[in-house]
């Protein structure tokens, strides 16, 4: 029995390698095609720069670009964290009673119907020209789907499990911690995956409106000065950032909640 | 010990429709008695068990244990559900320990007891496995251990062997009788199997459907300890025939 996990692990690694190899190969082919088309048709760099131009122009400013990337990462993470910290109790509150749900839901929908891009400058006026309005915009963009999926998870618990809790005389509080929230973990993670992607969008929106650094800021300033390859470089970095953070969430789920993945896979 | 006094339970469905699951059931289960409930599907057996467990409140009459009216689940009651209902995120051992943990009585002796119980039902070596790694029958056995882990005086079992293969079923039937003889408890046992009911029970309660009531209570005169060889005895044959007549008799008479 002790020997059993080894081959399974190996198979898992092999599957993982295949999962990664295919998209990477597709990406490389795509970049090569892009480069060839740009050269063959002499596409001007201010319209669509070739990958090589993006690479060299971005690398030339590697130091400042790194600072911008870190600034954006910080905003994304702070906004993401804020949405997690707010969403969890909010979802618990909403699912606690229909009265609370009926009062809180309309307010939530209201915050969602406000266009965040329009709200951003107003937030700057209220909160000042600093990191805070950017984090708040990021939070506002990211938290809503998270609340919905956590609430869905908490209420999706099969009645048999709730009955088991009652038969074991679990208090409402313990029922929440020991039955409802664990059951909701796969739901929470699908919400977190949506939230981390949206956090990147939110951070860039915040930086467009008010920032002195960050990749969103870099895109605005470099296009203003016709440094188009640099703007594209920032764009590529943003998508990389999104992919890496998304994968980080996936890995956290795999490492700490392996049973949640398995039950996920079964439903697909 | 357990007294049901003119108990009725009517469910109101979402559409506002009333479903009488049980009407006017009176039953007395003595201390350390083994009582089996049999009856057609949907006649209210699970509902009756839930009422005794304190999981649902009666809409009429009164359920009491040791003289006290049952209003909520009690510490001295263990229940095995019709489905295993294990927590998918907890290991088998943690699942078995769940009632102790919820009742804040988890200690070393509880853990030892859980391991002993798992060994008893043939699940030693599976303590750290997750429910999805076990077969349905193994999960159900873990569910039985969970109901026994806090050594309850009253054991409520809702078709605990329903999902098991015939071999495991016989094995666990004998095992359950052994547990019951070693540590006497009051057991209310729901089953679809008439021979199983007769072999296990001191008394077999036959229920009729729509709405569920007690049709008749049959005393089983077989001596203890019992085993499957007793199925050949005339007492066994008489009791199973009588039960079968009560459940199917009316129906076949109407068909003629
Ligand atoms: N929560 C509920 N809401 C509405 N109706 C219910 C509910 N629980 C049970 N019933 C109804 O009560 C009746 C008895 O149900 P119960 O589950 O007690 O039957 P049972 O004898 O255990 O059946 P089976 O042998 O198939 O398990 C059924 O008609 C069922 O539809
Ligand atoms: Mg039932």
């Amino acid at each position: 029995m002790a020997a059993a996990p080894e081959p399974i692990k190996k198979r898992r690694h092999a599957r993982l390698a295949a999962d990664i190899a295919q998209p990477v190969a597709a990406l490389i082919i795509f970049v090569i095609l892009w480069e060839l088309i740009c050269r063959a048709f002499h596409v001007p760099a201010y319209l669509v720069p070739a990958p090589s131009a993006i690479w060299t122009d971005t690398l030339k400013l590697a130091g400042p670009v790194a600072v911008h990337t870190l600034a954006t990462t910080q905003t994304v993470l702070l906004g993401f964290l804020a949405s997690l910290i707010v969403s969890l109790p909010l979802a618990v509150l909403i699912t606690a009673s229909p009265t609370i749900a009926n009062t809180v839901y309309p307010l939530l929908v209201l915050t969602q119907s406000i266009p965040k891009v329009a709200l951003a400058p107003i937030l700057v006026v209220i909160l000042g020209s600093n990191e805070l309005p950017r984090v708040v915009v990021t939070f506002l963009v990211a938290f809503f789907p998270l609340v919905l999926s956590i609430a869905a998870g908490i209420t999706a618990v099969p009645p048999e499990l709730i009955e088991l809790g009652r038969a074991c005389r679990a208090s409402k509080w313990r029922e929440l911690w020991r039955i409802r929230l664990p059951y909701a973990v796969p739901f929470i993670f699908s919400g977190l995956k949506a939230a981390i992607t949206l956090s990147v969008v939110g951070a860039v929106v915040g930086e467009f409106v008010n920032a002195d650094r960050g990749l969103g800021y870099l895109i605005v300033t470099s296009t203003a000065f016709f440094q188009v390859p640099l703007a594209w470089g920032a764009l590529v970095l943003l998508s990389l950032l999104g992919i890496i953070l998304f994968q980080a969430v996936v890995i956290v789920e795999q490492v700490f909640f392996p049973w949640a993945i398995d039950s996920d896979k079964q439903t697909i | 010990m357990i007294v049901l006094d003119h108990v009725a339970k009517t469910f109101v469905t979402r559409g506002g429709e009333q479903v009488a699951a049980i009407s006017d059931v009176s039953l007395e289960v003595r201390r350390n008695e083994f009582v089996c409930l049999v009856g057609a599907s949907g006649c209210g057996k699970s509902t009756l068990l839930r009422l005794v467990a304190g999981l649902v409140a009666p809409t009429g009459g009164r359920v009491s244990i040791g003289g006290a009216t049952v209003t909520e689940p009690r510490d001295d009651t263990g229940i095995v559900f019709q489905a295993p209902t294990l927590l998918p995120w907890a290991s088998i051992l943690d699942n078995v320990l769940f009632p102790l943990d919820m009742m804040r009585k988890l200690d070393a002796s509880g853990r030892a007891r859980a391991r002993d119980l798992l060994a008893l039902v043939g699940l030693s070596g599976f303590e750290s496995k997750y429910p999805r790694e076990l077969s349905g029958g193994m999960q159900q056995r873990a569910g039985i251990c969970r109901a026994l882990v806090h050594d309850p005086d009253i054991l409520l079992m809702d078709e605990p062997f329903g999902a098991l293969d015939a071999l495991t079923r016989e094995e666990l039937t004998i095992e359950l009788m052994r547990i019951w003889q070693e540590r006497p408890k009051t057991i209310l046992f729901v089953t679809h199997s008439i021979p199983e009911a007769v072999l296990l029970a001191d008394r077999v309660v036959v229920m009729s459907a729509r709405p569920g009531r007690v049709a008749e209570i049959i005393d089983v005169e077989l001596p203890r300890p019992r085993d499957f060889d007793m199925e050949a005895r005339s007492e066994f044959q008489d009791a199973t025939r009588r039960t079968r007549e009560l459940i199917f008799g009316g129906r076949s008479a109407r068909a003629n």
Side-chain angles (χ1 to χ4, degrees):
Chain A
M1 235 199 282
E6 216 27 64
I8 292 172
K9 230 179 212 170
K10 246 179 215 158
R11 219 179 309 144
R12 214 172 256 175
H13 282 312
R15 207 181 55 204
L16 204 70
D19 281 356
I20 293 173
Q22 269 177 12
V24 167
L27 196 69
I28 290 172
I29 293 170
F30 172 74
V31 171
I32 291 173
L33 275 179
W34 178 359
E35 180 78 35
L36 289 178
I37 290 171
C38 282
R39 288 188 184 202
F41 297 99
H42 302 287
V43 181
Y46 59 81
L47 276 185
V48 180
S52 57
I54 297 172
W55 176 259
T56 46
D57 279 23
T58 311
L59 212 60
K60 246 186 277 168
L61 290 168
V65 167
V67 172
H68 290 304
T69 310
L70 276 180
T72 304
T73 310
Q74 183 187 322
T75 311
V76 171
L77 288 180
L78 286 176
F80 176 70
L81 216 64
S83 45
L84 177 58
I85 290 170
V86 172
S87 298
L88 209 57
L90 203 58
V92 169
L93 210 65
I94 287 175
T95 52
S97 92
T99 335
I100 300 177
N102 288 338
T103 26
V104 177
Y105 255 124
L107 289 175
L108 284 184
V109 173
L110 191 71
T111 65
Q112 286 315 292
S113 58
I114 301 170
K116 254 49 94 203
V117 194
L119 189 65
I122 296 171
L123 279 174
V124 175
V125 173
I126 300 172
L127 302 170
S129 180
N130 53 45
E131 175 82 358
L132 194 57
R134 292 194 289 274
V135 173
V136 171
V137 170
T138 307
F139 157 77
L140 284 174
V141 171
F143 89 108
F144 190 60
L146 191 53
V147 174
L148 291 191
S149 48
I150 298 175
I154 292 176
T155 46
V157 181
E160 304 94 73
L161 289 185
I162 298 300
E163 196 161 61
L164 169 69
R166 291 217 297 125
C168 296
R169 301 170 56 90
S171 62
K172 277 280 155 216
W173 185 243
R174 301 201 100 198
E175 176 190 291
L176 177 69
W177 275 107
R178 301 297 303 279
I179 297 177
R180 288 188 184 271
L181 282 179
Y183 187 85
V185 162
F187 294 79
I188 296 175
F189 269 93
S190 67
L192 286 176
K193 286 172 201 163
I196 194 74
T197 315
L198 288 171
S199 292
V200 177
V201 176
V204 172
V205 168
E207 286 172 356
F208 276 178
V209 173
N210 152 60
D212 48 12
R213 72 191 105 139
L215 291 171
Y217 166 80
L218 184 61
I219 291 175
V220 173
T221 49
S222 55
T223 44
F225 294 103
F226 292 104
Q227 295 169 307
V228 179
L230 189 59
W232 280 77
L235 199 64
V236 171
L237 282 171
L238 270 176
S239 16
L240 275 180
L241 183 65
I243 293 170
I244 289 169
L245 290 176
F246 184 89
Q247 286 306 321
V249 174
V250 172
I251 287 169
V252 167
E253 183 178 18
Q254 280 171 349
V255 170
F256 293 102
F257 305 96
W259 49 265
I261 315 277
D262 282 26
S263 52
D264 241 12
K265 286 251 162 72
Q266 272 164 18
T267 55
I268 288 169
Chain B
M1 182 76 184
I2 305 172
V3 179
L4 288 95
D5 184 20
H6 298 287
V7 172
K9 177 69 193 177
T10 305
F11 288 105
V12 180
T13 58
R14 284 229 176 122
E17 208 184 319
Q18 301 220 327
V19 182
I22 279 182
S23 90
D24 196 26
V25 167
S26 293
L27 177 68
E28 198 165 325
V29 182
R30 290 183 287 272
R31 182 175 245 314
N32 297 339
E33 191 180 18
F34 202 132
V35 170
C36 283
L37 285 173
V38 294
S41 180
C43 71
K45 304 183 294 294
S46 297
T47 305
L48 197 106
L49 227 57
R50 284 200 169 82
L51 284 162
V52 177
L55 289 169
V56 295
T59 44
R62 173 169 175 263
V63 182
S64 66
I65 293 176
T69 305
V70 175
T71 51
E72 54 169 8
R74 298 159 55 104
D75 271 351
D76 59 356
T77 311
I79 183 162
V80 182
F81 294 99
Q82 207 164 345
T85 47
L86 300 176
L87 306 171
W89 54 86
S91 69
I92 293 301
L93 183 63
D94 286 341
N95 264 293
V96 172
L97 290 171
F98 188 72
L100 287 179
D101 193 10
M102 286 300 109
M103 294 170 188
R104 298 183 187 278
K105 286 184 192 159
L106 187 52
D107 54 12
S109 72
R111 281 174 196 283
R113 190 175 158 70
R115 284 179 190 280
D116 287 348
L117 282 167
L118 283 169
L120 196 71
V121 299
L123 284 180
S124 41
F126 291 91
E127 288 91 349
S128 54
K129 296 258 185 273
Y130 287 95
R132 66 184 140 80
E133 298 174 291
L134 269 61
S135 72
M138 291 159 96
Q139 293 186 20
Q140 189 63 5
R141 281 186 262 164
I144 294 169
C145 293
R146 180 178 60 197
L148 287 168
V149 76
H150 57 295
D151 197 17
D153 291 335
I154 298 165
L155 191 55
L156 307 171
M157 307 180 88
D158 195 351
E159 292 182 46
F161 305 153
L164 301 179
D165 62 285
L167 294 176
T168 319
R169 199 173 172 132
E170 289 202 358
E171 212 178 296
L172 284 183
T173 306
I174 298 293
E175 209 51 68
L176 178 63
M177 282 193 284
R178 214 175 55 74
I179 293 173
W180 176 66
Q181 229 126 41
E182 263 176 28
R183 307 186 79 117
K185 334 181 162 297
T186 313
I187 301 185
L188 206 51
F189 187 104
V190 173
T191 175
H192 269 141
S193 158
I194 294 169
E196 186 175 86
V198 171
L199 192 68
L200 281 168
D202 295 320
R203 288 189 294 156
V204 177
V205 176
V206 184
M207 290 182 68
S208 65
R210 314 226 146 249
R213 334 168 162 268
V214 175
E216 197 171 314
I217 300 177
I218 296 165
D219 289 297
V220 183
E221 306 290 356
L222 289 171
R224 307 252 181 202
R226 296 178 186 169
D227 56 48
F228 282 90
D229 293 337
M230 289 187 179
E231 292 189 350
R233 291 208 187 198
S234 64
E235 298 99 312
F236 182 90
Q237 307 278 343
D238 290 345
T240 46
R241 192 182 316 116
R242 183 88 193 93
T243 312
R244 212 163 261 133
E245 271 169 19
L246 283 164
I247 296 176
F248 302 110
R251 208 180 295 165
S252 59
R254 238 175 279 136
N256 286 336

